[in-house]
Amino acid sequence: MKKIFCFVLSIFFVSFLFSAGNGQNESIKAYRNALICFDNNDYGKALKYSEDAILYRRQDIEKQIDKLKTSLTSKRVQVAGDSIESVVKVLESRHENESLEIIYSFTKIKGYDYFNNSMQTLLKYMNESMVFPEAQKLIADIYKLEGEYEFAEEYYMLALKNSDVLDIPNEKYDILYTLAEISRLQNNMEKYEVRLLNILTEDKCFKDNALKSAMHQTVISDKKGSCEKFFNLYRADSYLSIDAYNQLAEYYYSMGEKEKALSFAELSAITSFSKISEIISSRNTEYSYSGLSKFFQEAAFYDDVVTWGNDSNAWRSFNILARYTNELGYKTFARELLVVLVQFTPTKYWQKDAVLQLELLD
């Protein structure tokens, strides 16, 4: 289902952005065919169509820029100045529909404010949009599946370089995670660590030392009720970082840096908890946090929340936190968390893991 959703969403955004002119242009057709072939495991054709899409996109944008610049040379348009709104009014009065459609195709998605209502800024963005990061990423995906990691890295890096013009901005994180995975597959653990940390570059929670210190102090106090206090007091919303936190926690643990591993485990667990709480509250307006047990029971009512927790490794984060607190001797915290996980974790795999952890703790 996720694969189909991403396929449809990619087609929608790319088609919408490049719908100027008569019907669908060649770049859209080529990219659509590439996605269909990729979905059908016909990677040879998917590669060819992706390369065509990149070429056609450049040609398409060059034609649009030339057409727009021609319209902008008109004396009446020049009098309107650099304001997109003013230029549009003049073009409408002159019935220059093709140029108007070009402008609309960008401003309908981004809005005038994104371009500071400036035609020159719009033209600059159009120049940058000649690249096709979605097609570059698809080529990288193909090479990765075929085990051609060097070629895959090259195209992922190109897509990442051009991520500012991705139609689905968060796809940048898919690229970053995949680059980290390639490093792991190549057993280049130093690069693996760096690439996971790169995912956190814009993560305000990771940069919030006061939050991290407060959470850690609550955990290591290891008093009765410390687990409930931890989940009652703190919140974090860098949801795209959850799996990076988990992977870094496990990486540092494997390197013997257990305190560092615990810090990442704390971030992951509280971020997972915060996201799930946010979803639950949007579904059930009467819900308010009143304990970890009830939190897990409420979450289990929503199949899509359970699925999201599996896909994002959110449920895993709670078990990692329990394991590392136990390993470092914070057994009161670990026990309180595991008792809840054993009874109420909504996935069998992590429930069994919690049972084993609790048995070993006892």
Side-chain angles (χ1 to χ4, degrees):
M1 183 63 70
K2 184 179 179 182
K3 188 175 182 181
I4 294 171
F5 175 74
C6 290
F7 170 82
V8 172
L9 200 58
S10 295
I11 286 293
F12 171 78
F13 274 102
V14 174
S15 298
F16 187 71
L17 184 55
F18 294 97
S19 61
N22 296 322
Q24 299 162 345
N25 60 37
E26 293 301 315
S27 63
I28 297 169
K29 292 177 183 177
Y31 185 57
R32 175 182 289 111
N33 287 332
L35 287 170
I36 291 170
C37 290
F38 183 82
D39 203 47
N40 292 330
N41 302 322
D42 191 344
Y43 301 130
K45 285 185 178 179
L47 189 61
K48 174 62 169 61
Y49 281 125
S50 295
E51 290 169 344
D52 288 345
I54 292 170
L55 174 62
Y56 294 148
R57 178 156 174 172
R58 172 169 290 276
Q59 293 173 345
D60 290 337
I61 296 294
E62 285 175 345
K63 288 177 183 177
Q64 291 181 37
I65 289 173
D66 288 343
K67 175 62 182 174
L68 202 50
K69 283 184 174 180
T70 299
S71 294
L72 294 175
T73 59
S74 163
K75 289 184 179 180
R76 283 188 60 194
V77 176
Q78 288 180 351
V79 169
D82 189 46
S83 164
I84 296 175
E85 290 180 326
S86 299
V87 169
V88 164
K89 288 178 181 178
V90 175
L91 293 177
E92 287 174 342
S93 69
R94 292 167 61 87
H95 304 291
E96 294 196 36
N97 295 327
E98 190 174 346
S99 292
L100 286 166
E101 286 178 5
I102 293 168
I103 295 172
Y104 293 155
S105 69
F106 289 93
T107 58
K108 281 181 180 176
I109 291 179
K110 299 292 186 179
Y112 288 176
D113 289 344
Y114 182 85
F115 305 108
N116 295 318
N117 195 28
S118 165
M119 282 301 308
Q120 291 306 311
T121 303
L122 172 58
L123 286 168
K124 182 175 180 282
Y125 181 84
M126 290 175 70
N127 269 296
E128 293 170 350
S129 297
M130 286 187 191
V131 295
F132 203 155
E134 289 85 0
Q136 292 167 337
K137 179 182 180 298
L138 190 58
I139 291 173
D141 289 341
I142 294 165
Y143 281 129
K144 177 177 175 288
L145 285 169
E146 294 181 342
E148 299 282 353
Y149 296 135
E150 289 185 11
F151 287 119
E153 278 190 285
E154 180 182 342
Y155 277 94
Y156 281 128
M157 292 304 290
L158 279 173
L160 193 59
K161 179 182 177 182
N162 300 319
S163 61
D164 285 347
V165 293
L166 278 166
D167 294 323
I168 308 173
N170 284 349
E171 198 165 7
K172 174 180 73 173
Y173 289 93
D174 291 339
I175 297 169
L176 288 167
Y177 274 111
T178 307
L179 282 167
E181 183 188 357
I182 287 174
S183 298
R184 182 183 60 77
L185 291 170
Q186 293 177 314
N187 202 33
N188 188 335
M189 301 312 288
E190 288 185 10
K191 187 180 282 189
Y192 171 69
E193 177 193 5
V194 168
R195 284 179 165 171
L196 286 174
L197 288 170
N198 283 343
I199 294 169
L200 308 181
T201 301
E202 300 174 8
D203 183 342
K204 60 179 175 49
C205 297
F206 176 62
K207 297 176 181 178
D208 189 341
N209 291 326
L211 171 66
K212 291 191 291 185
S213 177
M215 289 196 301
H216 191 61
Q217 289 302 314
T218 300
V219 170
I220 66 175
S221 69
D222 203 37
K223 298 176 181 177
K224 184 179 180 181
S226 58
C227 180
E228 284 292 354
K229 182 179 179 181
F230 179 80
F231 289 103
N232 190 46
L233 284 182
Y234 307 112
R235 297 293 181 268
D237 60 3
S238 298
Y239 309 134
L240 294 168
S241 300
I242 290 172
D243 200 31
Y245 293 152
N246 283 334
Q247 291 186 58
L248 284 164
E250 293 184 320
Y251 169 74
Y252 290 124
Y253 184 84
S254 71
M255 299 296 290
E257 299 182 59
K258 293 185 178 180
E259 287 289 349
K260 199 169 185 179
L262 177 57
S263 177
F264 280 96
E266 290 163 357
L267 272 171
S268 185
I270 205 63
T271 307
S272 299
F273 171 83
S274 299
K275 178 60 175 177
I276 295 167
S277 294
E278 180 184 302
I279 299 172
I280 291 172
S281 296
S282 69
R283 304 284 179 82
N284 180 0
T285 55
E286 295 181 1
Y287 171 80
S288 61
Y289 182 72
S290 59
L292 202 56
S293 297
K294 290 184 178 179
F295 161 78
F296 277 104
Q297 291 177 73
E298 182 72 23
F301 285 131
Y302 307 101
D303 290 341
D304 59 331
V305 172
V306 175
T307 300
W308 177 85
N310 286 327
D311 291 343
S312 63
N313 284 316
W315 304 125
R316 175 185 175 193
S317 67
F318 296 103
N319 290 60
I320 290 175
L321 179 60
R323 180 175 293 109
Y324 294 170
T325 49
N326 178 32
E327 286 284 335
L328 285 164
Y330 309 123
K331 294 187 180 295
T332 300
F333 187 99
R335 185 183 303 278
E336 289 179 349
L337 179 53
L338 285 169
V339 167
V340 175
L341 295 176
V342 165
Q343 296 179 78
F344 302 113
T345 294
T347 57
K348 289 183 179 180
Y349 179 88
W350 293 115
Q351 187 177 47
K352 289 179 181 178
D353 177 81
V355 170
L356 291 173
Q357 283 196 57
L358 188 59
E359 288 176 351
L360 291 172
L361 183 63
D362 291 336

